[in-house]
Amino acid sequence: MCITCGCGTDEAHIVKDDHGHNHPEHHHHGHNHSHSHGNDHPHVQDRLLHLEKDVLHENALLAERNRGYFDAKQIFAINLVSSPGSGKTMLLERTLNDLKEDFSFYVIEGDQQTSLDADRIKATGTKAIQINTGKGCHLDAHMVLHAVQQLKPEENSVLFIENVGNLVCPSMFDLGENQRVVIMSVTEGDDKPIKYPDMFHTSCACIINKTDLLPYVPFDMDKAVENAKKVNPKLQIFQVSCTTGDGMDNWYHWLKEQVQRLQSA
Amino acid sequence: MHELSIVLHIIDIAENEAQKAGAATISEIELAIGKLSTIEPAAFDFAWKQGVKNSMLEQAGRITNYIDGKGRCNLCETEFLMETLHQPCPECGEFFSEILEGKELQIKSLRIEEKIKN
């Protein structure tokens, strides 16, 4: 059992650096479902326990704990979510390179397997840590708590948490982030926001990536924006191409504004 | 599928609470799941069957109440049945609404059998 938070039910582990193979730093064992049966022939009485308990309350508590840590150190934490292949990692690479004079960046990478993404991020000179969720389809606040303990982001920094590529499950799990940003790309179809509404509903900004491919795909940008605004009228939308750099300035401007707002509060 | 992970969270909470209460067995669990909570009932049923094996919930009956989504328009304040997150207000047609009900994911109660020693 983990002494920090009393955890003992997760299969995720953080990938250690500089090894050819992964050591499960924080490998949790499965539930122990065994329970003892009385052998002293007791009478049995029926009782109803009124719990009214949120199933995800433990995640919510740990998310608040992360949020408190980020607040205290004025770290701006962004949870980046999308389906696989929308260009999250490339968006990060470009952002980290273009803004390295402006911010001190840290990255937590979430994938089911491999540390390929963390390796790409480290190649930009940014401190990064990889979480492998195994069969898990999302990051949760508990995994992020332990990743942050190892990553040790400094005060006034910007922390990107790249979630597992999945537009459904990660929407339920608060990580303690300041903002959730959803990425979609023009190769995916303009109906994504209404097919997977929860993720667009819980995000504050949406990046529509790969705009350089617009001449080659049947993607209606106006329709996509309309669909996204139906699900979440407050959503900020950025149309970008991480390949050509088109539209990236608007995203950078928003990011700088958000960080400034947090750090001047 | 996150449904299995949700089932495992439910088992953890239920076993923990039942053991705290000194229960020998859990005979019934009652859940409230909002229809806007991203839980897919068929996937949830499937995950439940697999997930509860060898747990205190293996033999327990399950009552699952699916709660309808309810929204309130932020402009004209009309309350309406919300089946999707991109449903316009039936009065003014705006999409700017607040979710009042339908996001629940709760364990309402557990029926346990306690040991009483003579």
Side-chain angles (χ1 to χ4, degrees):
Chain A
M1 182 180 278
C2 154
I3 51 165
T4 323
C5 56
C7 56
T9 60
D10 248 327
E11 279 186 1
H13 68 269
I14 290 166
V15 180
K16 291 287 275 182
D17 269 342
D18 308 317
H19 281 276
H21 57 278
N22 300 341
H23 285 297
E25 168 73 6
H26 192 81
H27 184 83
H28 296 284
H29 297 283
H31 307 265
N32 177 8
H33 287 314
S34 65
H35 53 282
S36 58
H37 293 276
N39 53 5
D40 48 353
H41 304 291
H43 290 292
V44 167
Q45 184 180 303
D46 197 67
R47 187 152 71 96
L48 191 67
L49 302 177
H50 292 282
L51 294 185
E52 304 279 341
K53 202 157 192 177
D54 279 338
V55 173
L56 294 178
H57 85 111
E58 200 176 318
N59 187 74
L61 290 177
L62 290 172
E64 282 313 317
R65 182 178 166 148
N66 290 344
R67 193 167 280 119
Y69 177 84
F70 298 146
D71 276 354
K73 301 194 93 173
Q74 296 203 312
I75 294 167
F76 186 68
I78 298 184
N79 182 3
L80 278 179
V81 292
S82 84
S83 48
S86 61
K88 282 195 298 297
T89 313
M90 189 157 172
L91 177 95
L92 271 183
E93 285 173 315
R94 181 126 200 170
T95 305
L96 300 173
N97 275 322
D98 289 351
L99 299 184
K100 63 178 158 210
E101 305 301 326
D102 301 87
F103 298 114
S104 156
F105 284 116
Y106 293 84
V107 175
I108 296 172
E109 280 289 339
D111 283 296
Q112 288 197 322
Q113 308 213 347
T114 80
S115 59
L116 294 170
D117 278 1
D119 295 343
R120 279 171 65 183
I121 297 301
K122 284 176 195 162
T124 69
T126 306
K127 213 174 158 197
I129 196 162
Q130 179 81 47
I131 300 175
N132 281 156
T133 57
K135 292 184 183 62
C137 50
H138 57 266
L139 292 179
D140 62 28
H142 173 226
M143 299 173 197
V144 169
L145 172 78
H146 289 300
V148 166
Q149 282 170 340
Q150 288 193 37
L151 194 59
K152 298 184 179 63
E154 64 184 38
E155 284 187 21
N156 302 313
S157 59
V158 174
L159 172 67
F160 283 111
I161 305 166
E162 186 183 333
N163 218 313
V164 179
N166 177 344
L167 272 180
V168 185
C169 315
S171 72
M172 295 186 81
F173 293 84
D174 182 7
L175 306 180
E177 71 265 20
N178 296 83
Q179 301 284 16
R180 187 177 287 185
V181 175
V182 60
I183 301 165
M184 61 185 277
S185 62
V186 304
T187 52
E188 294 172 61
D190 42 47
D191 50 5
K192 266 273 143 92
I194 51 172
K195 277 168 140 177
Y196 301 95
D198 285 274
M199 202 59 105
F200 290 83
H201 192 260
T202 56
S203 295
C204 68
C206 169
I207 295 174
I208 304 180
N209 190 18
K210 308 189 190 178
T211 52
D212 53 304
L213 298 179
L214 275 172
Y216 314 105
V217 290
F219 184 91
D220 184 336
M221 184 61 83
D222 292 340
K223 191 89 196 153
V225 171
E226 189 191 320
N227 283 335
K229 294 273 189 187
K230 273 185 194 171
V231 175
N232 182 353
K234 288 186 274 189
L235 203 60
Q236 290 259 352
I237 294 176
F238 304 103
Q239 300 172 23
V240 310
S241 162
C242 294
T243 308
T244 65
D246 222 36
M248 292 295 280
D249 281 347
N250 294 332
W251 154 242
Y252 296 156
H253 182 75
W254 179 84
L255 190 62
K256 285 177 186 170
E257 232 177 42
Q258 295 290 317
V259 176
Q260 238 167 28
R261 191 180 301 166
L262 173 84
Q263 292 172 354
S264 63
Chain B
M1 276 293 104
H2 59 299
E3 281 82 0
L4 181 60
S5 137
I6 296 300
V7 168
L8 295 177
H9 276 99
I10 293 173
I11 296 169
D12 269 346
I13 296 169
E15 288 190 335
N16 195 8
E17 295 290 337
Q19 276 159 5
K20 268 198 291 189
T25 54
I26 302 173
S27 54
E28 191 180 85
I29 183 166
E30 186 180 352
L31 306 172
I33 300 182
K35 289 184 183 173
L36 300 174
S37 73
T38 81
I39 296 294
E40 183 58 41
F44 186 74
D45 290 347
F46 179 74
W48 186 269
K49 262 185 223 157
Q50 300 303 318
V52 297
K53 280 182 188 161
N54 300 318
S55 81
M56 280 180 87
L57 289 174
E58 186 166 13
Q59 304 298 330
R62 171 168 61 99
I63 302 171
T64 309
N65 302 311
Y66 286 99
I67 316 284
D68 280 336
K70 190 164 134 191
R72 180 169 52 213
C73 176
N74 277 330
L75 295 168
C76 72
E77 299 197 338
T78 301
E79 290 188 8
F80 59 97
L81 181 72
M82 209 173 189
E83 285 173 346
T84 67
L85 293 175
H86 50 91
Q87 191 175 320
C89 167
E91 283 300 316
C92 69
E94 281 296 331
F95 288 95
F96 206 30
S97 49
E98 192 185 334
I99 301 172
L100 301 176
E101 287 171 20
K103 296 291 276 181
E104 299 79 0
L105 191 52
Q106 269 196 339
I107 303 180
K108 301 302 278 185
S109 66
L110 287 180
R111 187 172 292 284
I112 58 166
E113 285 172 359
E114 281 175 304
K115 291 168 282 190
I116 298 176
K117 287 177 191 166
N118 283 326

